[in-house]
Amino acid sequence: MGSVGHQSSTFAVTTPLYYVNALPHIGSAYTTIAADAIARFHRLLGDPVMMITGTDEHGQKIQRTAEERGVAPQDHCDEIVSGFQDLWQRLNIRYDRFSRTTAERHEAIVKAFYQRVWENGDIYEGRQQGWYCVSCEEFKEERDLLKGNLCPIHTNKEVEWRDENNYFFKLSKYQEKLEQLYAGQPDFIQPTSRRNEVLSFVQQGLQDFSISRVNLDWGFPVPSDPEHTLYVWFDALLGYVTALLEPEDEPTLDNALKQWWPINIHLIGKDILRFHAVYWPAMLMSAGLPLPGRVFGHGFLTKDGQKMGKSLGNTLDPLVLVDQYGADAVRFYFLKEIEFGRDGDFNETRFINVLNADLANDLGNLLNRTLKMAGRYCDDKIPTVAPETFEDDHPLQSKGSGLATQVQAAFDRLAFSEACEAALGLVRASNKYLDDTAPWSLYKQGEQAETEAVLYAVLESVRLAGYLLSPIVPSLATAIYNQLGFEGNFDELAIGQHFPYQTHSGWGLLPGGQALGKAKPIFQRIEVEA
Ligand code: MSP
């Protein structure tokens, strides 16, 4: 049978808090889908889960965007925020908290945190001169700029010269402590390529960074000098802390930190690695707080091999994709086809081929034709099969028994693509097994017991694959379970109680005699117009 043990513990995961300068794009969807999948996997395990997403709403970039549109900044933010929430709903994202940096409670948390850093002597006033990219909300080294003073990330945006009095955070003081952190906790930054990037950046010697701005209204006043506005990144990172408050809690650091801190995983894209893997742990050290478990920096998405961007006009609108193909299709493609951590490409032909092959054909057809046979040959019930029928070397039982261990290990490493491949391996083996054993012939020859054993083994394998893929394709998993006669829905937050991992992750769970649901294709083949 082989189910997998798991010691339950709380699990908190974050997406970045997205800038509200524009509606969400496929990059924001990518991180959020990944965070949702890992959160759902932990819910299956029965862990108490906290999944955090939200928006980063202050700073010059947002202020300017609102000005250009001629709207008040808060109104602008509210409008874009509803666009994010709408997309998350359509992508079937089950977040627990939506953290907005313009929330009133957030200011109290920021003040309290600032106070701790201030009391620790890590903030001082100084002169900031340098090139600033408003799109990054970050100062750039002159040597990193492209020709024409363009930002290396926002290659169509000129950086702006700044010369002003700012407050600084003493990052340099944490050089050694950070180096100890990276050495002592080698998986703090993942994947390894990102870790190496950070190590080499830190080796060059850390410089203090400015945490206030002048001539900017849209943000919180610096608590120790309200003439200054707090730097958007100092404010935004703390959005992860504010998110942890219960709705009825007073906004104090103690309340925010009592249950879920430290966060287990921060999921981010590679462009904001420095903020999360260098600045953030140093800020937390300064405030005397425990550090997050891991920072995982995923790659960038390209389209047809080209960098996606507004200037190139080749952005992919996640809403259009979801409307056309459904949430599960989008979730599956990005998590299965792209190795998490590397850059990955979107190409529509490839997208359609993958969905047709894996979901419509291998998984969907398999379930559909097996259910139809079970309807005809087994009176619309899961056949009852004697336990000794399946020897240890039965091709599906042996593959299925070890599957959860493999899939769980893949999820632990955020290797979504491997998790999918492992589950699909059982599906492909089931297709082969069905063809090899030909239950339709067995039935004709009057081999009822053998026919039933074959159908049981295949239905059970589809169930198990569906269960383990449910964090990635929750609606498909629900359809599989319902057609196999189970009641319930993989969107339930208490899914770990409803379909416990302990039993459902093993092979051989399907109860004989259970009435089957109605067989319907779970994933429509996508037809391409010639
Ligand atoms: N507001 C900051 C994050 C603050 S977290 C306390 C921010 N926001 S963002 O909206 O600009 O970016 C959010 C995420 O989207 C980043 O992780 C970024 O890497 C990701 N992506 C933006 N474009 C992307 C692609 N083309 N592909 C994949 N992800 C990309 O940064």
Side-chain angles (χ1 to χ4, degrees):
M1 292 252 172
S3 62
V4 182
H6 171 69
Q7 196 72 37
S8 177
S9 54
T10 59
F11 179 78
V13 59
T14 66
T15 73
L17 305 184
Y18 300 107
Y19 283 130
V20 291
N21 59 314
L23 286 166
H25 50 74
I26 200 70
S28 3
Y30 184 50
T31 329
T32 311
I33 291 171
D36 185 63
I38 189 71
R40 282 175 183 268
F41 189 76
H42 279 268
R43 286 194 203 107
L44 271 192
L45 290 173
D47 292 340
V49 169
M50 168 62 76
M51 178 193 158
I52 296 168
T53 188
T55 41
D56 182 356
E57 305 183 18
H58 286 137
Q60 191 143 36
K61 166 150 88 170
I62 308 302
Q63 179 169 302
R64 279 191 191 170
T65 310
E67 269 164 16
E68 279 159 21
R69 294 185 59 214
V71 236
Q74 190 64 63
D75 293 342
H76 165 79
C77 293
D78 293 349
E79 202 181 299
I80 302 286
V81 162
S82 69
F84 273 92
Q85 292 175 335
D86 175 51
L87 177 64
W88 300 155
Q89 196 186 348
R90 294 214 231 171
L91 275 170
N92 210 354
I93 306 293
R94 303 284 287 164
Y95 55 81
D96 299 285
R97 297 288 154 75
F98 192 97
S99 192
R100 297 186 58 176
T101 57
T102 55
E104 221 172 278
R105 293 142 52 93
H106 182 52
E107 184 164 13
I109 295 295
V110 170
K111 271 191 180 155
F113 187 91
Y114 184 94
Q115 189 59 27
R116 289 206 189 183
V117 176
W118 175 264
E119 281 166 10
N120 201 23
D122 288 342
I123 295 173
Y124 65 91
E125 197 177 359
R127 177 99 174 249
Q128 170 78 60
Q129 285 182 317
W131 294 105
Y132 194 68
C133 171
V134 174
S135 294
C136 292
E137 294 279 15
E138 187 180 18
F139 280 98
K140 300 282 163 184
E141 293 295 331
E142 188 151 351
R143 60 169 184 267
D144 293 333
L145 299 180
L146 307 181
K147 233 173 120 189
N149 278 351
L150 297 176
C151 165
I153 293 178
H154 300 92
T155 50
N156 56 346
K157 294 270 161 56
E158 261 186 57
V159 292
E160 300 171 19
W161 179 251
R162 295 286 157 85
D163 181 358
E164 56 189 45
N165 265 13
N166 284 171
Y167 286 91
F168 283 75
F169 173 71
K170 280 191 193 160
L171 181 65
S172 55
K173 178 173 153 187
Y174 293 93
Q175 172 93 28
E176 217 171 291
K177 280 201 176 151
L178 286 170
E179 282 170 349
Q180 283 163 4
L181 164 71
Y182 307 141
Q185 222 176 296
D187 56 2
F188 179 70
I189 305 164
Q190 291 178 324
T192 311
S193 53
R194 300 274 123 74
R195 173 180 145 81
N196 292 339
E197 249 173 69
V198 171
L199 293 184
S200 84
F201 171 72
V202 173
Q203 257 161 25
Q204 291 167 30
L206 291 174
Q207 285 171 20
D208 300 344
F209 69 96
S210 70
I211 56 165
S212 76
R213 297 288 181 268
V214 290
N215 306 319
L216 169 71
D217 304 326
W218 188 235
F220 295 133
V222 169
S224 57
D225 183 349
E227 294 290 295
H228 290 246
T229 297
L230 203 61
Y231 173 42
V232 57
W233 268 101
F234 196 91
D235 158 352
L237 287 161
L238 287 163
Y240 296 142
V241 175
T242 307
L244 299 175
L245 288 167
E246 292 299 324
E248 67 282 0
D249 279 346
E250 284 284 307
T252 65
L253 277 179
D254 283 348
N255 279 340
L257 300 169
K258 69 185 173 212
Q259 193 186 352
W260 298 98
W261 194 262
I263 302 281
N264 298 70
I265 306 181
H266 288 304
L267 282 188
I268 55 163
K270 60 183 181 180
D271 53 332
I272 54 175
L273 186 62
R274 221 172 262 185
F275 292 102
H276 285 81
V278 184
Y279 294 14
W280 182 223
M283 285 163 61
L284 291 166
M285 286 171 181
S286 169
L289 300 184
L291 305 182
R294 290 196 255 173
V295 174
F296 193 104
H298 65 68
F300 261 30
L301 301 178
T302 54
K303 183 151 176 249
D304 305 320
Q306 274 194 313
K307 185 180 183 300
M308 236 185 269
K310 289 201 190 107
S311 48
L312 278 169
N314 66 344
T315 51
L316 196 59
D317 183 348
L319 271 182
V320 172
L321 270 191
V322 188
D323 283 348
Q324 195 164 350
Y325 302 107
D328 279 358
V330 178
R331 298 169 60 106
F332 183 77
Y333 177 83
F334 285 109
L335 293 186
K336 188 225 153 196
E337 272 303 288
I338 298 165
E339 187 188 325
F340 202 62
R342 289 178 171 251
D343 291 351
D345 194 48
F346 179 88
N347 165 285
E348 196 148 5
T349 308
R350 174 113 200 96
F351 177 83
I352 291 172
N353 289 344
V354 165
L355 297 173
N356 280 344
D358 293 345
L359 300 185
N361 241 12
D362 287 354
L363 184 64
N365 268 351
L366 175 67
L367 174 67
N368 199 250
R369 64 185 178 132
T370 315
L371 276 177
K372 283 187 176 151
M373 285 189 268
R376 254 178 276 140
Y377 310 154
C378 316
D379 198 19
D380 267 320
K381 291 197 183 76
I382 307 267
T384 304
V385 180
E388 63 278 6
T389 312
F390 300 113
E391 310 254 321
D392 283 348
D393 61 352
H394 183 281
L396 299 188
Q397 142 129 312
S398 60
K399 221 176 167 61
S401 303
L403 186 61
T405 313
Q406 249 179 301
V407 170
Q408 188 174 335
F411 270 106
D412 280 344
R413 286 181 288 115
L414 302 176
F416 301 107
S417 167
E418 272 178 49
C420 290
E421 279 301 339
L424 289 169
L426 180 61
V427 170
R428 291 184 194 121
S430 302
N431 274 305
K432 176 167 188 305
Y433 175 73
L434 203 58
D435 292 343
D436 290 349
T437 52
W440 47 92
S441 307
L442 292 173
Y443 181 75
K444 268 195 211 144
Q445 292 155 17
E447 305 278 3
Q448 183 64 23
E450 288 196 22
T451 309
E452 292 187 1
V454 168
L455 296 182
Y456 183 94
V458 174
L459 290 176
E460 171 58 0
S461 299
V462 178
R463 179 203 65 76
L464 179 60
Y467 184 78
L468 294 172
L469 285 173
S470 68
I472 294 172
V473 285
S475 305
L476 282 184
T478 298
I480 292 172
Y481 259 59
N482 294 163
Q483 294 189 26
L484 289 171
F486 291 96
E487 271 176 37
N489 187 319
F490 280 92
D491 290 332
E492 287 166 41
L493 291 179
I495 191 68
Q497 276 84 58
H498 195 126
F499 297 138
Y501 194 79
Q502 199 67 30
T503 44
H504 283 249
S505 67
W507 195 93
L509 166 103
L510 269 181
Q514 172 162 294
L516 293 169
K518 196 172 155 39
K520 281 193 291 239
I522 55 168
F523 191 91
Q524 283 296 344
R525 210 188 142 72
I526 304 166
E527 300 299 340
V528 198
E529 286 157 39

